Structure formats: structure tokens, C-alpha cells
Amino acid sequence: MLPRGGFDYVIAPVGSIAYAYNNELKKQFLDTFSGTPVLCVASEIDGYDCLVFDNPSGIASAVKYLAEHGRKHIGILAGARENYECAERYETYRRGLEENGLEFKESYLMYCDISYDCKSEAELLLDKNPELDAVICVNDFIASVLYEVIEERGKQVGRDIAVVGFDDLPFASELDPPLSSIKADAFYLGSVSVEKAYNYLRGIKDDRHYVQTRFIPRGSCFAEADPAEPAAPAKDKDNRSAVPKRFIEKTHLENIFIRDSLMLVGDIKDSYANILKRLSTIGSLTSYLYILEEPVINEQDSEYPGDVSWLFTSYCYGANCFNIPVQEQRITTADVFNNSRLVSDRRRTLIAADLFSAETQYGLALLEPESTDFFEELELVTYQLSSAVRTLDILKNLNKLLTDTRLALAMANDYRKIYSIDTSDGSYLEYERDSTDNDFSVSSKGTDFFSDCAEFCSSAVYIDDQPLLQDMFTRETFMKRISSGDHFNFDYRFMIGGVPVYHRMKTIIGKDENAGTVFIGITDIDRQKKRELEIKAELFKDSLTGVKNKSAYNDTEKKLDALIREGICEEFSIFVFDLNDLKKVNDSLGHDEGDRYIRSGCLLICSTFKHSPVFRIGGDEFAAVLKDSDYNERRELKKALKEKVEANLQSSGVIIAVGSADFSPETDTCLLDVFKRADREMYSDKRRLKGI
């Protein structure tokens, strides 16, 4: 249902936008504007002011012209049977034959689609009536198709069969031979419509209901050109009509637009902006694209839903395209025509182009024409944008289908166990792969997955992996992540025969008929994981000292940060070390001696903190993360290191400044917070050592 509030006057071109509907359905549509003055354009509907083409005058003139020029067997491609204008043109054709003493046969009448999709009907008309020497078409598109059919039968338009179109569209005079047509000026019809609206609102009486049509004879009737018409295009050396340069350029730009509007990129959100990109080349100054979050199927007798959700995806100023951030895209129907990006310091006219396919609406485009020439492109633009948006909708659904299929195949082929959890009550089924036929069967079931998972962690999971796994599978944490659509994976070590074996958990959220169910797949990744760890150990190893390098420290930092964010990080301490006077050693004794100095310092740190990972994080800088026994003895270990350093001051051994800090869950949000405190203390110790 269209919004009715706030309209002063409605111009409804139902003869175009509802051409396939009968007058009763058109009237039902117009009745939705009850209380608002309505002008019905291109169709006469009882009870409404109307403005229509005077179809009879042009058709009658065409039939009379053909009869006077010796055409005796005149057929008609009459368009859609239910279309009022098509029916009126057919009735006028029948009267014209009678008035000019010409015979009518039922086979001379052929209804057809009123677009280019009418070739089969044109072929049938000629094949059933080989005597036809003229055909009247209810529009120029049908006439252009008839040209092709006549040529395929070895006949010549104008000489053997005269052809008459209707509307006199811009391409009519550029066909070969130029098409005789009945000029029905749509631009003039539109301007008179606006004039009638203006006059009504100013209280000026305006009784105009008809806009004249005029028959223009051209070469398709084997006639001399109308003196009022421009000369026919010059013939080229092949004796065919030379296509004007303007028409070639226009066609080229249209082809570029058609091509680029379907150049859909990998990321769908970027594709929405991309389909607007070339609109500026064919006459749209600005453009705005709105997509229905869910396409709306609007059948003939159905009400349009009032609660649709729109996504404002992108817009263009000239050739500059912009994506709307995802969090700002959702808008109401009213905001389609009232949002900050539509605000302008100049007056603008925007065309609303409905993007649809059959009975399904996919979105809406607002287009600002640079000039009236853009109206020649509007039908092409609407169909092409509709096609592109529909294609993107198909791609979105296909991506979802492929993703679900890939996950299903992964679960069927890669996992040794699958858990199916009912999130409403926590009940679950455990499926295990049968070693004989490689198929899944239910191996156990339970009433509370979360409590059983906590018990499993305590008894069967490697101790270092227990805290994160237990926290992740509490009911509160699990449901919070699932409700946000979070698919999460987790690698952990499962104890088998006293040996930790790496496994991976992957969650999949059920959709459609499986909504409310979460699947967890378990697979053995021990061999793969240990190989990865071997490679990682090499990558994380400092080549000079053999301890862990800066990359390893960064990896440890990420893991600890994750635990801190989850609020499940255990106590630890950071120690930061710096070797004094390395530059002096390098400058006076050379870099080989400097390397030995670094290795000596590293050895002293490692021999002191024997149960903690040590990292070389800079040229002469080291760090250690203390947990468990080293953490408990951190003060004694720090004191022991300082005593060794002070002894080295007397023996010219390696001098190491040290600082440390303990993790505080109340104040520290990440590892860096702890490191900074340790680093400040280390620099204080460095100054102390230099003063001794």
C-alpha cells in the first residue's frame, strides 16, 4: 500500500505502470488515494479525471493512408488483449478498414507481448496470411521485431509489406527503412499532466482530456518523407542506412552501463555501489540504492506489507560511489525519501525506479536526471538495476547455501564425534563415527551438556587448557556467544592414556528446521597440530641465543590478552631485562664479542628462571613470563639475579638491569599494562647500576 498522507495531488500514469491490469484493477489501485485529487494518465477510468492520447485520430489516418496507397490486406499486431489502449487501437483499426472498404479476417488479428518478446506472434501472423501487404503495430518495439521477421522471409519492408508503428520513439526514424509511426508524444503528455495539476491547485479550470496523435509516413510505407520531418539518414556504400554518430555513442554508453552494472565484485556490499557507478555516463547526476532486507512478493490481489525493512546500501554523486556503513543501513520506509544524504542546497527532481522481477520487489533506486534525455534510458536502467540487484540476492542465498553445505559435508566427513545440543534445556545427543562402516550413530545422551562438559574438562582435558574451555562452555558464556551468531573454534588437549592429544571443537548454529540447536564437531588434529608447533617453534626461535623471539612473545601476549578479556587469567608476573653497555662492547671489542656478551646475559637469565619461557624482544632486551613455581618464588629469584649482577660488577661479567610487575585483574586490561610497570622498574634499576 502506498503512503497517502501529505499528497496535494497525484498524477497516476496507470496506462504505463499497470498496463497489464484491466480497468477494474486499475480503479482499485486509484481508490487507495481516496480523499486526494487524482489525474489518471494514459487510461480512462470511471470516476477519475483523465488525460489520454487521442488514439483513434492517428490510427484512422494510418489506415486511410495505406488504403489510398494501394494496400488491400492489412493485419495488426495488437499487443495485450487486456490493455485498454491496445484494445482502443485495435477497434479504431477495424473501423478504419470498414470505412475504406477493406476486408478483415480473424487471422489478421494477432495479440502479442508489447515488448521485443513478440517474434513468434509476428512470424505466425505472416505465415498464416501470406497475402498481407501491410501490418499496423500498436507500438514501435513490435514494429522493429516485425522488420526482422519480414527480412527473414526474403521480403522487403515498404515494398512488399508496409509497416506502421505507434509512439514514434527516437529510434523509429533511424530504422532501415525509416519507420512510419503515429506520434504520441509522451513528454508532451507528461507536461500537460503537470499543467493540469498546477491549474487544479490554483483553482483554474482545465478540461483537457485528450492529447492529439499524428500519423507520420516514412519509408516503411514506401512513401516520401513528411516535409515536417528531418531528412532520412544518408545511405552508405552498402546501400544501408548510415547510423548517426550520436546513436552509436549513445549505444556504446548503454553497453558500458549494462556491462559494468553486472561486474559484481567478490564482496557483495561493494557490488551494490558498483552497479550505480556508470549511471552518470548515461545521464543520472546522483543516485541512491535501497534494498529490501527480505524481497517482497506482491501478488495481484495482495496488500503490500506495511512493516518492510529497507537497507540503504550505497549512493553516487556523479561517478563517485559510497558504501553506507552496515550499522547505518537499516531505515524505515519514510526515511527512504528523507535522510541526511538526500539533503541538498539546490532543488532536485528525483525519479523513483522500482527494482523488481515478476511479482517480487527487491528494492528501489532514486535517480536524478541530468536532462529530459535521461527518460529515454529510464526503462533500460530500471530493468538493468533490477537484474543486478536480483542477481546479488541470488548470490547471497547461494553463498549461504554453499556455506551450510560445506559445513554439513565437513561434519559428515571430518569429525569423529558430533554433539547436538538443544539450547532451550541443555539436553544433548553424542554421535560417534562407527569404525566399521564409517557412519555416525548415537553413542550417548544427557540432560545437561554444560555440567557434563565441566566434569569432562576436570577429568579428561590437559590442565593448561582447562580454564578457557571450562569458561567457554558455561551456559551463560555459551548462550551469549551463540545469540550473537558467533561460530567459534577451540583447540585443546584431550588426555588419552596419560598423553595429551590435540583436538579441535567447532560450533555450528542450526538454521530453519534446526533453529535452537547447536552442533559441536570434534576432530583429532594431533599430527597436524604438532607439525604446526614444530614449524612455529623454529619460527619463534631466536637464532643467536636459542630462546624464544619477539614473534613468540607477541603470540604469548595475544593468548594472555584473550584470557584477561574473558576474566579467567591466572596469576603471572612479567620480568623485563636489559643488558648494560652492549654498545660499548660492540664499539671497543667488535660485534662477535658483543654477540658473546648477549649469549652470556641470556644464559644468566635462563639459569635463574629455569621454569619460565624467556624471550629476546630486542637487541639487548629480554622478557620472561613467570607462572606456577617460578611465580611463587619470584622475589627470591629476582634477588638471586641481582646478587649475581653485582658480583659481575667486580669481575667485568655481564651486567643486567631487571624490573618486574605482577598481573592485577582489578586494574590490568592487557599484558601491556603489566609490561609497562616492569619496564619502568627496569630503567630505574639500569640507572642504579650505572651509578655503582
Side-chain angles (χ1 to χ4, degrees), residues 116-137:
Y116 291 113
D117 189 21
C118 62
K119 187 176 181 181
S120 60
E121 290 85 354
E123 291 171 336
L124 187 59
L125 177 66
L126 295 191
D127 293 343
K128 288 176 66 174
N129 305 284
E131 74 277 14
L132 286 179
D133 54 16
V135 178
I136 291 178
C137 305

Side-chain angles (χ1 to χ4, degrees), residues 53-59 166 182-184 211-215:
F53 285 121
D54 179 16
N55 288 308
S57 60
I59 293 285
F166 200 106
I182 296 160
K183 190 173 186 64
V211 172
Q212 288 296 114
T213 58
R214 180 169 64 94
F215 174 59

Side-chain angles (χ1 to χ4, degrees), residues 159-176:
R159 184 191 67 191
D160 301 313
I161 300 178
V163 178
V164 175
F166 200 106
D167 292 328
D168 194 33
L169 295 175
F171 70 81
S173 63
E174 295 169 344
L175 292 176
D176 180 21

